[in-house]
Amino acid sequence: KWAPDLNCKFVFRIQHPSSFKHTGLWSFCNVNTLNMQVTLKNVKNNMEVSTFLTDSHEVKCCTVLCIISYSLCMLFFLCARTGMNAAVRAVVRVGIYTGAKVYVVYEGYQGLVDGRDHICQATWESVSMMLQLGGTVIGTARCQDFRTKEGRTNAACNLVKLGITNLCVIGGDGSLTGANQFRSEWSELLQILVKAGKITAEEAKQSSHLNIVGMVGSIDNDFCGTDMTIGTDSALHRIIEVVDAITTTAQSHQRAFILEVMGRHCGYLALVTALASGADWVFIPEMPPDDGWEDHLCRRLTDQRSLGYRLNVIIVAEGATDRFGKPITCDMIKNLVTKKLGFDTRATILGHVQRGGTPSAFDRILGSRMGVEAVMALLEATPETPACVVSLSGNQAVRLPLMECVQVTKDVTKAMADGRFEEAVKLRGKSFESNWNTYKLLAHVNPAEVKSNINIGIMNVGAPCAGMNAAVRSAVRTGILQGHHMLVIHDGFEGLAHGHIEPISWAAVGNWTGEGGSNLGTKRTLPRSMIEDISLNVAKFNIHALVVIGGFEAFVGGMDLVTAREKYEELCIPIVVIPATVSNNVPGSDFSIGADTALNTITTTCDRIKQSAAGTKRRVFIIETMGGYCGYLATMAGLAGGADAAYIYEEPFGIHDLEVNVEHLVEKMKTTVKRGLVLRNEKCNPNYTTDFIFNLYSEEGKGVFDCRKNVLGHVQQGGTPSPFDRNFGTKLGSKAILWLTDKLKECYRHGRIFANTPDSACVLGMRKKALVFQSLAELKLNSDFEHRIPKSQWWLKLRPILKILAKYKVSLDISEKTIMESIIKKRGVI
């Protein structure tokens, strides 16, 4: 079969294709320049096979990635979740990039059984303009035929006739379980087909095994083994939009609102909605309320009203029950609140609005990354490789055994049925458990009876961003629950130096979760020029610990305070920096509060611009994004928006690169996709400005395409926070206060607080799979202070994916191969 080499400029053909029963990594181990014959060696098992080249280009020793089996990659999708189209697009394009023929099956398993025009070969252009579409463009359908042996036999016949032995399935646990059963029966099905004369023995031999890779599409996020399933974040966006709208009317009329969200067996949507909206109560299947919950709920709502709140919000998962398995419904709660408290109460059931709409930026990037990883998994699969599912752990793509994940998912359901609710929460995974613990902590209304006599100051530093207020609210309330006196500092370090400090109460931060910007006020001024005034006010207001929420200025300001400890003993207090900036450039954290909201703003703008370009034809848009020297926004928006190029500081470029990009767009205009989208980070290059690139593209594209430019500006810093930023800010704020509480106990000496060790001043951030504290002194070594970015950034490894999906001929770095993990061994016995 023919396959392109991705690193060298030639095409080779397998001389003995029957020798290849596996795909994977192959390297050149011998070259005969007389007859252009080469020998390929399998990197994994050292198997050697002779090949020859089609022409006499120079051969270089290198590692190549190629599909060199006669069973070509086939992609099958069974789902209808927002964000699925990004996965379809990624698998199709990366499959084509690796030299495979790619097929899509329309109408799910039914299309697989029916065959014929339901199984169609995909092209590069056929998956264009899909990213912004909800649902799935290839359709889905429930299929009773596939549940029968006869139906699966017909499906196998359709695949064998097309030479398809690699299958990518997107769906829930039921769809993935069906795919695994199909794989386990494959040999038996082939025997049935040979005996019936529907396929030949040679065809059966060529299709002797079936590789399966799964991706989970479910808005409920009910599949164990992954932090987020494709579609969940988009569903949360729909829910939060409704909650924000309901909150407005509820405040006006002093009403109680009960909102039912999806989640028949999993309460993830309800739980995160409760955290992101500051709801008064949440009902989820995994943790039913204790006996007597009716009285407890009424007390909670009454207490809230007594604190001056004009509304109450209760979130209910559709599968919520009490401890005896009796369903808890919206109407039941409405009748309870109306009769017992006399509150004006309304109930809203969101229904299928949660499944639709435009996919969020997170879901588009998740779908794209999962699609690439799925193709890589198929490339490396052997007959002995168990069916795997591509999952998300923190910000890492991982592979897990499919049936282990399905088993743990079933174990959750059984644990709930048996009344083992704490175990059910643990089985859901660390992310779910963390959300539940944070909710339990913040769900209290009454502060601690015993006061700690500890004063903790909270400030915002740097540029404002969405999600800052959620972090402040969480920190304030967690501190009050710990018995501390909470102080807020207005206008950053300037406010600390000028004494703009005041105490804040529980009720004062009640509605802050959904508010954008910074209610405390924030400035970029660094403390080094006013250290003495700051130290005097720290002593005056008796501040024992400090929470600094902000961007790179917060990081540098924290280090300034630590440096000043040598001279000013008043600054020997524990300090924690919480990253909050649209630029996502704070060392010590893979993500910053505010970056997700900004990314969604850019992505939405790109969608509208692409729509305009599609209507006018032959038009290229150049868009400038924020980020300073950090190219995170430009890169991730490029992935989410389907950009043709994204210029960033971290990846230097010159006039030759610009020329290649222009030529690429010229060629693109010859296809059916007659539009272009180019992103430029604001400080990617001092000479190649947005105006320069616009003028260059306009001149070189004359007669082929015209150009427009758009500088997004400060619109990226505004808006209401996304569900991710609200949830992330809430968890970071709470965790920071709990850490400070423990650190204050360690630093209490001779009747006062004295903290001067490096680990007493830290950044709290997400690293891969966990929230971790890292000392400012340690992070200083990994920081580029001139350009205000970390020296190493995880998202740079996603850059080749952006280029491949834009049809550039670049190499995909697979040096860090994803190893299949065991979810059961990792969790251990509970």
Side-chain angles (χ1 to χ4, degrees):
K1 302 297 178 180
W2 296 91
D5 166 31
L6 306 183
N7 294 310
C8 298
K9 300 297 183 181
F10 60 82
V11 176
F12 61 85
R13 187 174 68 188
I14 304 306
Q15 196 171 39
H16 303 292
S18 61
S19 303
F20 281 90
K21 295 185 179 178
H22 315 303
T23 60
L25 287 173
W26 299 77
S27 63
F28 290 105
C29 61
N30 185 44
V31 180
N32 186 330
T33 57
L34 294 177
N35 59 7
M36 297 310 297
Q37 186 176 30
V38 301
T39 303
L40 287 179
K41 177 183 286 187
N42 189 295
V43 173
K44 186 174 183 180
N45 57 23
N46 291 326
M47 168 182 164
E48 293 186 3
V49 176
S50 296
T51 74
F52 64 88
L53 306 180
T54 58
D55 51 36
S56 57
H57 288 295
E58 180 184 2
V59 180
K60 298 179 180 178
C61 264
C62 62
T63 300
V64 296
L65 172 66
C66 52
I67 290 183
I68 43 183
S69 72
Y70 48 80
S71 51
L72 298 177
C73 184
M74 177 277 186
L75 314 171
F76 162 58
F77 305 89
L78 183 69
C79 58
R81 309 290 183 269
T82 298
M84 289 295 96
N85 291 323
V88 173
R89 172 180 176 268
V91 183
V92 167
R93 290 193 168 182
V94 175
I96 294 172
Y97 160 84
T98 55
K101 281 185 180 178
V102 183
Y103 295 85
V104 294
V105 179
Y106 290 88
E107 311 308 333
Y109 281 127
Q110 191 63 57
L112 197 63
V113 173
D114 294 341
R116 297 185 301 277
D117 56 351
H118 287 91
I119 305 177
C120 301
Q121 186 172 350
T123 64
W124 194 278
E125 289 77 17
S126 67
V127 292
S128 183
M129 285 298 284
M130 289 173 57
L131 281 171
Q132 73 276 19
L133 301 179
T136 168
V137 298
I138 60 176
T140 181
R142 297 189 182 276
C143 178
Q144 294 299 322
D145 293 340
F146 195 76
R147 295 178 181 269
T148 66
K149 179 63 74 69
E150 181 183 358
R152 292 192 293 275
T153 304
N154 290 336
C157 182
N158 291 327
L159 295 183
V160 170
K161 289 297 183 182
L162 291 171
I164 297 168
T165 56
N166 294 286
L167 204 58
C168 179
V169 183
I170 309 180
D173 58 346
S175 303
L176 298 178
T177 301
N180 187 71
Q181 181 184 3
F182 188 44
R183 179 181 187 267
S184 63
E185 293 178 350
W186 185 255
S187 297
E188 180 186 352
L189 298 176
L190 293 185
Q191 292 175 9
I192 294 172
L193 290 169
V194 171
K195 188 177 292 186
K198 293 184 178 180
I199 64 172
T200 65
E202 182 61 26
E203 287 176 324
K205 182 180 178 181
Q206 291 178 351
S207 304
S208 58
H209 67 276
L210 179 68
N211 295 319
I212 292 283
V213 172
M215 287 184 278
V216 189
S218 168
I219 69 165
D220 295 342
N221 201 31
D222 56 355
F223 193 81
C224 293
T226 183
D227 290 347
M228 288 283 275
T229 54
I230 301 172
T232 301
D233 189 66
S234 298
L236 285 170
H237 275 258
R238 302 294 90 76
I239 296 169
I240 293 300
E241 287 168 7
V242 173
V243 172
D244 287 347
I246 283 177
T247 299
T248 309
T249 182
Q251 282 181 327
S252 302
H253 297 279
Q254 297 192 58
R255 283 177 175 157
F257 265 90
I258 304 153
L259 188 72
E260 182 186 290
V261 300
M262 285 187 170
R264 194 164 54 250
H265 304 294
C266 178
Y268 183 86
L269 288 179
L271 180 56
V272 174
T273 299
L275 278 175
S277 63
D280 301 298
W281 197 285
V282 65
F283 294 92
I284 60 174
E286 291 85 352
M287 189 58 70
D290 295 327
D291 295 342
W293 62 268
E294 296 90 346
D295 293 334
H296 189 182
L297 172 62
C298 290
R299 284 197 305 272
R300 173 78 58 79
L301 300 183
T302 302
D303 289 342
Q304 288 289 80
R305 291 295 176 98
S306 67
L307 290 172
Y309 290 100
R310 295 175 57 85
L311 78 156
N312 300 106
V313 177
I314 301 168
I315 308 297
V316 186
E318 62 176 326
T321 65
D322 62 17
R323 295 267 163 172
F324 304 100
K326 181 183 177 182
I328 297 176
T329 64
C330 281
D331 288 337
M332 179 191 300
I333 301 169
K334 178 183 176 183
N335 293 333
L336 171 69
V337 174
T338 303
K339 290 178 181 179
K340 271 206 166 189
L341 303 178
F343 290 175
D344 186 5
T345 308
R346 298 288 188 273
T348 301
I349 299 175
L350 287 189
H352 282 74
V353 69
Q354 299 161 82
R355 294 185 182 275
T358 302
S360 67
F362 181 91
D363 270 335
R364 300 186 198 193
I365 295 167
L366 177 63
S368 298
R369 292 183 64 189
M370 296 300 98
V372 173
E373 189 63 33
V375 174
M376 295 300 105
L378 287 173
L379 282 171
E380 298 168 12
T382 68
E384 293 74 32
T385 305
C388 75
V389 61
V390 179
S391 304
L392 181 73
S393 182
N395 68 346
Q396 303 294 302
V398 298
R399 300 176 199 168
L400 301 173
L402 170 58
M403 293 316 295
E404 284 190 16
C405 294
V406 171
Q407 183 57 52
V408 175
T409 303
K410 292 179 178 178
D411 290 344
V412 176
T413 304
K414 190 174 188 306
M416 290 190 290
D418 295 343
R420 296 178 281 116
F421 301 114
E422 293 287 348
E423 183 177 334
V425 170
K426 283 184 169 61
L427 286 169
R428 280 287 180 216
K430 289 184 178 179
S431 176
F432 189 95
E433 187 178 8
S434 173
N435 287 329
W436 174 247
N437 289 334
T438 304
Y439 168 76
K440 283 196 302 181
L441 180 67
L442 296 175
H444 297 280
V445 173
N446 299 319
E449 295 180 1
V450 180
K451 301 299 180 182
S452 66
N453 294 321
I454 293 294
N455 298 325
I456 298 180
I458 303 174
M459 69 168 73
N460 292 337
V461 176
C465 68
M468 275 185 165
N469 294 324
V472 172
R473 173 186 179 273
S474 175
V476 167
R477 291 197 164 182
T478 303
I480 292 173
L481 291 171
Q482 297 296 310
H484 307 321
H485 299 282
M486 303 306 294
L487 304 173
V488 292
I489 302 160
H490 297 279
D491 301 326
F493 288 114
E494 279 191 27
L496 184 56
H498 298 148
H500 299 161
I501 305 168
E502 62 180 1
I504 193 166
S505 66
W506 179 281
V509 294
N511 299 320
W512 283 25
T513 305
E515 296 181 8
S518 168
N519 289 347
L520 297 183
T522 178
K523 291 189 177 181
R524 295 178 180 270
T525 311
L526 294 175
R528 60 190 58 164
S529 61
M530 41 194 175
I531 285 291
E532 185 172 351
D533 291 334
I534 287 175
S535 65
L536 289 174
N537 279 320
V538 167
K540 178 182 176 181
F541 289 90
N542 199 23
I543 297 175
H544 301 106
L546 202 57
V547 178
V548 185
I549 303 170
F552 203 85
E553 293 86 356
F555 174 72
V556 175
M559 287 195 299
D560 287 348
L561 296 182
V562 171
T563 303
R565 283 175 173 177
E566 297 178 3
K567 185 175 180 181
Y568 301 96
E569 197 173 288
E570 297 85 356
L571 299 180
C572 292
I573 58 175
I575 300 170
V576 61
V577 175
I578 295 178
T581 169
V582 301
S583 302
N584 195 34
N585 63 337
V586 179
S589 186
D590 294 338
F591 297 102
S592 296
I593 299 168
D596 185 69
T597 304
L599 187 56
N600 277 284
T601 300
I602 299 169
T603 302
T604 301
T605 304
C606 288
D607 288 346
R608 294 173 179 174
I609 286 174
K610 285 177 66 177
Q611 191 175 48
S612 170
T616 53
K617 307 291 186 186
R618 298 185 179 278
R619 180 163 289 175
V620 175
F621 278 87
I622 291 96
I623 301 176
E624 181 181 296
T625 67
M626 277 186 166
Y629 287 98
C630 181
Y632 175 83
L633 286 180
T635 297
M636 302 307 267
L639 269 174
D644 295 284
Y647 301 118
I648 63 171
Y649 166 78
E650 293 90 343
E651 193 174 274
F653 61 95
I655 194 66
H656 173 69
D657 300 293
L658 294 172
E659 182 184 3
V660 169
N661 295 148
V662 171
E663 291 174 355
H664 173 81
L665 285 169
V666 169
E667 290 300 313
K668 186 178 181 181
M669 296 300 162
K670 297 177 183 177
T671 69
T672 57
V673 186
K674 301 183 185 300
R675 65 185 174 279
L677 180 66
V678 176
L679 299 179
R680 179 190 177 274
N681 171 242
E682 60 182 343
K683 290 188 177 180
C684 64
N685 191 295
N687 298 312
Y688 299 131
T689 63
T690 301
D691 287 335
F692 177 90
I693 293 175
F694 168 74
N695 292 331
L696 176 67
Y697 273 62
S698 298
E699 181 65 29
E700 296 299 320
K702 269 185 179 178
V704 181
F705 59 80
D706 61 354
C707 291
R708 298 289 187 276
K709 64 179 176 180
N710 194 324
V711 179
L712 298 186
H714 286 76
V715 69
Q716 299 162 83
Q717 291 180 348
T720 57
S722 68
F724 177 88
D725 280 332
R726 299 185 195 199
N727 189 22
F728 193 42
T730 298
K731 288 197 283 190
L732 289 183
S734 178
K735 194 173 183 69
I737 297 297
L738 295 177
W739 179 82
L740 284 176
T741 301
D742 292 337
K743 187 61 65 175
L744 285 165
K745 294 176 183 176
E746 294 177 16
C747 300
Y748 187 77
R749 301 172 188 172
H750 310 296
R752 67 190 185 96
I753 302 298
F754 186 79
N756 66 343
T757 58
D759 66 348
S760 64
C762 291
V763 170
L764 169 58
M766 176 178 280
R767 282 297 200 189
K768 293 186 177 180
K769 303 179 183 181
L771 296 177
V772 296
F773 291 89
Q774 294 176 271
S775 72
L776 293 171
E778 175 189 346
L779 293 172
K780 183 178 181 180
L781 303 174
N782 187 41
S783 304
D784 178 352
F785 289 96
E786 180 184 353
H787 300 103
R788 297 159 50 87
I789 56 175
K791 290 181 180 178
S792 59
Q793 301 181 86
W794 68 272
W795 52 267
L796 287 171
K797 293 184 179 179
L798 303 183
R799 295 277 301 173
I801 297 176
L802 168 65
K803 296 177 182 179
I804 288 169
L805 294 178
K807 210 175 183 179
Y808 284 94
K809 296 179 181 179
V810 298
S811 298
L812 181 61
D813 180 15
I814 57 168
S815 57
E816 290 189 9
K817 292 172 61 177
T818 305
I819 300 173
M820 190 179 297
E821 303 177 10
S822 174
I823 183 174
I824 293 177
K825 290 180 181 178
K826 188 167 60 174
R827 292 185 189 280
V829 179
I830 296 179

